[in-house]
Amino acid sequence: MRRGIHPPYAPVVFRDRSTGDLTLTRSTMTSDRTIELDGTTYPVVDVDVSTASHPFWTGRGRVVDSEGRVERFRRRYGSRA
């Protein structure tokens, strides 16, 4: 790697806004806000969605067919069974 062209890679805490879940990892992202975790101060980055709140990972996902797309498809192309 060339020196001086890469951003600093350091520990960062990502906080899920909806659940308050904290994830400590390493990233090139930075923030002016900090949080103390286990006696050490880290920059904190707020995220809207994480594995703690995403429907796929929590099992709370659902299929919404609000516009009747399946019914519109069946009317247009019919049942070919």
Side-chain angles (χ1 to χ4, degrees):
M1 288 195 322
R2 289 180 38 195
R3 294 186 187 276
I5 65 168
H6 301 285
Y9 187 66
V12 176
V13 174
F14 288 94
R15 178 174 47 198
D16 188 328
R17 288 183 183 179
S18 60
T19 64
D21 188 55
L22 301 173
T23 304
L24 176 62
T25 187
R26 294 179 57 88
S27 176
T28 58
M29 244 180 154
T30 60
S31 174
D32 295 333
R33 290 174 287 151
T34 59
I35 191 170
E36 188 169 330
L37 187 64
D38 299 329
T40 307
T41 303
Y42 299 104
V44 63
V45 177
D46 289 326
V47 293
D48 293 328
V49 179
S50 72
T51 57
S53 63
H54 194 279
F56 179 81
W57 298 107
T58 60
R60 291 182 284 154
R62 63 179 192 260
V63 176
V64 177
D65 186 23
S66 61
E67 297 181 21
R69 293 178 186 201
V70 173
E71 301 307 321
R72 188 173 62 198
F73 178 85
R74 287 183 178 157
R75 278 196 311 262
R76 181 180 288 173
Y77 297 106
S79 172
R80 297 187 183 193

